[in-house]
Each structure stands twice: as structure tokens, then as C-alpha cells.
Amino acid sequence: MLFLIPAYLSENSPLDYFAPAVKEYILKTDYFFVENEKTARKVVKFFAPEKKQADLKLSLLDKNTERKDLQEAQMLMKKGQDFGLLSEAGLPCLADPGNVMVQWCHENNVKVVPINGPSSIVMALISSGFNGQEFTFNGYLPIDKSEKKSQIKRLENQVNQTGFTQIFMETPYRNNQLFDDLCKFLAPTTKLCVAANVNDPEAEFIRTLTIKDWQKNKPELHKIPAVFVLGK
């Protein structure tokens, strides 16, 4: 089986935010597909401190991983070895490359077991006050300035024309730059939700304002995990 195991969104998240099943499934296997080895070891220790780190067998699965890189692990799964799939944060396969292994499992009759956990994308949406019936997650916006401007304007037009909520992210060290661009390129009446440090009991920041109001209340978002949401 392949267990889709959620990671915490913040290292400060209380353990009781999570279902006991997360620890249960981590203890079921020593084999894991991980996006980042260091993060994965910290997540395992967070949920199951009694598990021996030396016993962990971690297979890297990031955006640069190709199917041929996973062949050894896939052979073990065909022989009956259970694996866990760990994202860097939140649920696997959302803004995460883990879907490659999930797809392989479906093609090879390997059972996929999703486990309840947090997603900053979903939590930002439900906290925004925007349309939760019809929405689009757009991933990361372009780095190129002109392309980014065009994408921002396109997303704004989508909100105005369809009412569909538009969700996107940025690499944390570029958050402030993206926020400035949103304030520059969006109309003053457009509404933006910023959800930062989601699930951190002390530092969580979630707020929805018009661009006109955001221009007067700029948050500090540098190197802070954040999700941005446009809507009505």
C-alpha cells in the first residue's frame, strides 16, 4: 500500500491538531517517498518520536525526479512492501510532485490510502470568505515581471467575469515582492486574502481586504509560508 501522510504546516502546530492515524501509519513502515529528506525526518520525529531514524529508508521524490529514479522502490512495492508518501508541508500531491507515485500505484494495482490532514491551500480558501463552490488553484505565478503582471490581471478578470475564486502561492522569500505587485497591478476594489503561517497558534495571519486597504496595511511576509486568494 501507499500511505499519503500529511506533514505539519508549522513546526509549532500542536500534535492534537492531527488525527492519531497519522502516527499509526508512520509506524507501519520504514519506507517513505519524500520531497526533502531533512524535513521528512523532522516530520517523522514530530509524530512518532519513538521511531528510530536509522531505520528510515527514504526515496527522494521532488520536481526533478524521473520515473526511472523510482524503479528500485517500485520493485519493492510490487513485492508487497508498504511505503509512505510525505510532502514538505500539508497534504501530499497538492502543490507537490507526489502524484507521480500515486499514478504509478493505480497503474500497478497498488492500494492508495489517503490520511486526513491540513492543506494551507484549502485552509486559506475556507478562511477567505470567498466562493468555495467554484475555485481554481493556480500554483506559482511566473517570475518574469511582464508575465507575472499578465497573469495577475488574468486572474482578476477571471474573478470579475466568473466569480470563481483564484488561489496561488509564491516562494516565501519572494512573498513581499509578489504582494507589492498585487497592490500595483490589481484594481483598488479587488479583494485579496493573505493567509500566512497557517496552523501556527502564535504567528498565524489570515486577513481579507480590498487592495486599497492592503496598500495602507502592508504585512511582513518575507520567508513566511503564505497563500494568496482573489475573490468576491
Side-chain angles (χ1 to χ4, degrees):
M1 292 187 284
L2 179 67
F3 311 130
L4 307 185
I5 301 171
Y8 50 67
L9 299 177
S10 166
E11 293 182 44
N12 298 321
S13 300
L15 192 57
D16 60 11
Y17 277 17
F18 303 88
V22 178
K23 177 176 181 176
E24 175 187 333
Y25 280 100
I26 286 177
L27 292 175
K28 280 181 181 289
T29 183
D30 294 327
Y31 291 80
F32 296 88
F33 296 105
V34 303
E35 189 176 4
N36 180 285
E37 181 174 330
K38 183 178 179 180
T39 302
R41 289 185 179 278
K42 290 170 69 175
V43 170
V44 168
K45 186 176 181 180
F46 175 83
F47 287 111
E50 68 270 39
K51 193 172 185 69
K52 294 181 180 179
Q53 291 281 321
D55 291 341
L56 297 177
K57 283 87 174 177
L58 307 181
S59 298
L60 185 66
L61 203 178
D62 62 16
K63 63 181 180 180
N64 298 313
T65 301
E66 298 180 8
R67 280 208 172 192
K68 61 182 178 62
D69 301 324
L70 302 168
Q71 288 179 352
E72 185 176 342
Q74 290 167 346
M75 286 301 297
L76 288 172
M77 294 191 79
K78 285 184 176 181
K79 292 177 181 178
Q81 177 61 56
D82 293 336
F83 269 74
L85 174 59
L86 274 170
S87 175
E88 267 201 281
L91 291 172
C93 306
L94 283 177
D96 171 85
N99 66 290
V100 172
M101 268 313 304
V102 176
Q103 186 179 74
W104 180 89
C105 287
H106 288 304
E107 293 169 355
N108 290 273
N109 198 32
V110 175
K111 186 175 181 180
V112 176
V113 181
I115 303 163
N116 287 338
S119 164
S120 59
I121 299 163
V122 174
M123 296 181 85
L125 173 63
I126 65 174
S127 302
S128 67
F130 298 148
N131 182 1
Q133 301 291 330
E134 301 160 315
F135 55 90
T136 302
F137 175 60
N138 297 275
Y140 293 84
L141 299 193
I143 296 175
D144 179 81
K145 193 80 170 180
S146 60
E147 292 179 7
K148 185 192 298 183
K149 178 181 178 180
S150 296
Q151 179 75 329
I152 289 171
K153 296 301 293 182
R154 186 186 70 79
L155 296 179
E156 182 180 44
N157 287 336
Q158 285 289 312
V159 171
N160 291 334
Q161 293 173 10
T162 68
F164 281 36
T165 300
Q166 302 295 322
I167 311 166
F168 49 94
M169 302 171 71
E170 181 54 282
T171 302
Y173 69 85
R174 288 199 290 260
N175 277 340
N176 282 341
Q177 182 181 345
L178 174 58
F179 181 85
D180 290 341
D181 288 337
L182 293 171
C183 287
K184 180 179 180 181
F185 299 136
L186 293 171
T189 56
T190 293
K191 290 183 178 179
L192 167 70
C193 175
V194 177
N197 277 326
V198 175
N199 253 189
D200 188 313
E202 297 181 2
E204 185 176 71
F205 174 88
I206 304 175
R207 197 170 186 192
T208 297
L209 295 171
T210 63
I211 291 300
K212 181 179 179 180
D213 288 333
W214 275 123
Q215 289 169 343
K216 305 171 188 174
N217 298 275
K218 180 179 177 179
E220 177 51 59
L221 300 171
H222 185 56
K223 292 188 177 180
I224 296 173
V227 179
F228 300 86
V229 191
L230 295 179
K232 287 188 174 181

